Amino acid sequence: MKFIAFNQKPIYLVLILVLIIAALSACEMPSTPAPTPTPTRTPILPTATPTPTPTQTPTATPTVTPTPTPTLPPGLLLPVQAVEPQGWPALPTELYFLREGHIWIWLAEGNVLDIVPVADEGNGGVLAYRATPDKRFIAYVTGAGKLYIFDRAQQEHTYVPTAGRLIEAQASSPGIDFAMTPDGQYLIYIAWGVQSTLPDTPGVATAYPPYGTILALNLTDVRQPQRELGFCNSTTIAKCTGLALAPDGSQLAYEDSAGVWLTPLDVPEPRLVLPATENADWHFSAWAPNSRWLILKKQLTQDTALALFNIATEQFIPISISCSQSCRLELSWGEQSIWVSIDGAEQGCLYEIQPVIGEPTLEITYGKCLIDSWALHPTSPLALPDGWVAFVHRGCGVDCHGPAPGLYFLGPEEATRPIALLDDAEGTALWAADASAFLYFDPEGIPTHLGVTNTSEFWDVRRVLDGAYAFQWGEVTLQQEQEQAQ
């Protein structure tokens, strides 16, 4: 077979070249290319019952059952809304109170709040105080049981040495009993734990704590011997309830386990005017402003009642008014008559009474139980001249359309004039002597509102009087009365 011979050298060279290229390609380390991302597939999951995103219901303004608009007599004296005072506005008279262990004075001229320095700082501060009507002297007892007189005119403190203890933890609250005569000459106090030296003093041999001797100290010369006015004793059943100086400073009343006692300051011979056996459940409540009568109160299981005792004739006269245990019974003695307020769950009344010496009972001469046709709910009465009375009306609840809660005047011929409105009036009012101003306290005893009736000022004092207590209005002087009349 004849083969055709080709020139094979070029072919071999081509093959060798191909093999070399292939070998080089196999030995080269190629760079890892960035992979083209495969689109991520979202898995189809079983449709779960989703927890629904709560549709936030907007806080809607609650639907409030509107309080009925009160029916008001015309002539509201003060603004409808109280405002917070700016600084310390002027007042008809000074207002005293305790706060943080000090005596503070809201001055009548306003602008500043005065503070009485304490003689022995750091000893518990001031626990109790008394101011004379002329506003010059202030007697106070500190936590250390010491008594001082502060002369505001001279800005001087005088330490008054006393007998026994001024503070008695076992006594009726507050356990500190002292008073000053209106002229500032005598200080009367109970020296707790001191036995009496008066002859034939009942109960001295069987004294039971708390007991003490009542002493009169002459502040013009504290070195003079102190005068004994009586001995206030206790038993396991009845305790000494403290002393009460007559408004004119002439006599002292005190009550203990034996009954109610009276003793003149100039002739200290205590006499038992209402023995406990005869007194039954009648107890001393207050002096009449004319210093001629004792006001007595009786609290029984079922009702509360009032009575009067004439100190000159020793006549006991019950007042023909009583109310159930759940009602409030209060009395205010004016220049011409007595006003009594009662307030029960359904209705209350204001009664005017004329005290007549020689009558066996005191009858009602005038009574008011309605304002227009609405039930009256009076508390904190203050008898005023010319037949007027100021009082707090607590309203009649949300289901009533009667007069709004607040403070009112009631005058002759049933004239009613609103002084100030309150959201509720379940508390009490502390009136200035002539009703030219008032301080209102809520049921917890917190001062909330202060009003001045002759200048139409009405303030919310919850912030400025926060923490204050033991309030006392100063007396309105003749000059102030003349200025107010102008």
Side-chain angles (χ1 to χ4, degrees):
M1 183 174 184
K2 186 178 180 181
F3 291 95
I4 299 174
F6 293 92
N7 189 357
Q8 298 179 353
K9 186 177 180 178
I11 296 173
Y12 290 146
L13 291 173
V14 172
L15 291 173
I16 291 170
L17 182 60
V18 171
L19 291 172
I20 291 171
I21 293 171
L24 291 172
S25 299
C27 296
E28 184 180 359
M29 296 297 293
S31 60
T32 304
T36 302
T38 304
T40 304
R41 183 181 179 193
T42 303
I44 301 175
L45 300 176
T47 304
T49 304
T51 302
T53 302
T55 303
Q56 187 172 3
T57 304
T59 304
T61 302
T63 303
V64 179
T65 304
T67 301
T69 302
T71 303
L72 282 176
L76 181 65
L77 286 181
L78 304 186
V80 175
Q81 189 66 40
V83 297
E84 190 167 314
Q86 301 300 311
W88 301 96
L91 297 175
T93 185
E94 293 180 337
L95 180 64
Y96 305 82
F97 58 89
L98 291 180
R99 181 162 61 185
E100 298 174 346
H102 285 83
I103 304 169
W104 297 79
I105 306 173
W106 187 333
L107 299 175
E109 58 268 27
N111 298 323
V112 295
L113 189 66
D114 195 16
I115 182 172
V116 176
V118 181
D120 56 348
E121 290 279 3
N123 286 310
V126 177
L127 299 184
Y129 71 96
R130 305 288 187 269
T132 54
D134 63 5
K135 310 174 189 177
R136 176 169 178 175
F137 298 100
I138 299 176
Y140 63 91
V141 174
T142 67
K146 296 181 179 180
L147 191 142
Y148 294 87
I149 303 294
F150 179 65
D151 186 333
R152 294 178 65 188
Q154 302 295 327
Q155 290 290 297
E156 292 179 350
H157 295 270
T158 300
Y159 170 67
V160 180
T162 55
R165 301 186 306 274
L166 290 177
I167 304 172
E168 174 55 72
Q170 299 184 62
S172 302
S173 179
I176 305 173
D177 283 281
F178 67 102
M180 278 193 297
T181 54
D183 58 8
Q185 182 176 358
Y186 287 95
L187 185 132
I188 318 299
Y189 71 100
I190 296 182
W192 296 107
V194 174
Q195 288 278 9
S196 175
T197 61
L198 291 174
D200 303 325
T201 302
V204 171
T206 57
Y208 183 87
Y211 65 84
T213 296
I214 303 174
L215 299 172
L217 190 152
N218 191 334
L219 295 175
T220 61
D221 186 359
V222 296
R223 294 171 297 181
Q224 290 186 11
Q226 300 182 40
R227 185 184 305 167
E228 289 192 31
L229 301 179
F231 180 73
C232 198
N233 197 10
S234 299
T235 65
T236 55
I237 300 175
K239 291 186 176 182
C240 167
T241 60
L243 59 84
L245 187 64
D248 63 3
S250 62
Q251 297 204 59
L252 176 77
Y254 62 97
E255 183 177 357
D256 66 2
S257 58
V260 179
W261 299 79
L262 278 176
T263 181
L265 264 65
D266 56 350
V267 183
E269 296 179 358
R271 56 193 178 103
L272 188 62
V273 294
L274 283 172
T277 53
E278 300 176 16
N279 189 17
D281 295 295
W282 292 100
H283 298 284
F284 173 84
S285 178
W287 278 94
N290 59 15
S291 301
R292 300 175 185 173
W293 300 78
L294 300 181
I295 302 169
L296 307 174
K297 197 169 187 178
K298 177 170 67 173
Q299 182 72 58
L300 296 176
T301 304
Q302 299 298 326
D303 61 7
T304 304
L306 292 169
L308 302 177
F309 181 81
N310 185 281
I311 63 173
T313 65
E314 297 192 2
Q315 183 184 12
F316 175 84
I317 307 176
I319 298 175
S320 59
I321 297 174
S322 64
C323 63
S324 64
Q325 187 180 18
S326 60
C327 83
R328 297 166 67 172
L329 178 65
E330 297 167 278
L331 178 148
S332 177
W333 195 303
E335 295 178 358
Q336 301 176 353
S337 60
I338 304 168
W339 283 94
V340 178
S341 70
I342 64 170
D343 182 26
E346 299 298 326
Q347 189 170 354
C349 292
L350 278 167
Y351 296 114
E352 187 179 19
I353 299 170
Q354 296 288 345
V356 179
I357 297 177
E359 295 292 331
T361 61
L362 297 182
E363 300 296 334
I364 299 169
T365 58
Y366 170 77
K368 185 175 180 64
C369 302
L370 300 173
I371 296 179
D372 296 329
S373 59
W374 310 109
L376 185 65
H377 292 276
T379 60
S380 301
L382 175 68
L384 298 169
D386 303 324
W388 286 83
V389 59
F391 62 96
V392 175
H393 169 64
R394 68 176 176 85
C396 50
V398 296
D399 298 327
C400 170
H401 296 268
L407 298 97
Y408 289 78
F409 284 132
L410 173 65
E413 300 180 0
E414 299 194 356
T416 305
R417 189 169 188 185
I419 301 170
L421 305 185
L422 299 170
D423 293 333
D424 62 74
E426 299 289 341
T428 59
L430 177 66
W431 298 96
D434 60 350
S436 59
F438 66 85
L439 181 61
Y440 176 79
F441 302 85
D442 70 9
E444 285 71 42
I446 298 173
T448 62
H449 293 81
L450 192 153
V452 180
T453 57
N454 57 358
T455 60
S456 300
E457 300 284 356
F458 189 34
W459 302 300
D460 184 328
V461 293
R462 281 172 283 198
R463 188 185 67 84
V464 297
L465 294 180
D466 182 36
Y469 62 100
F471 290 88
Q472 176 185 327
W473 286 107
E475 296 291 333
V476 178
T477 65
L478 178 60
Q479 180 182 355
Q480 288 174 320
E481 290 178 350
Q482 292 172 347
E483 291 174 352
Q484 293 168 13
Q486 296 172 0

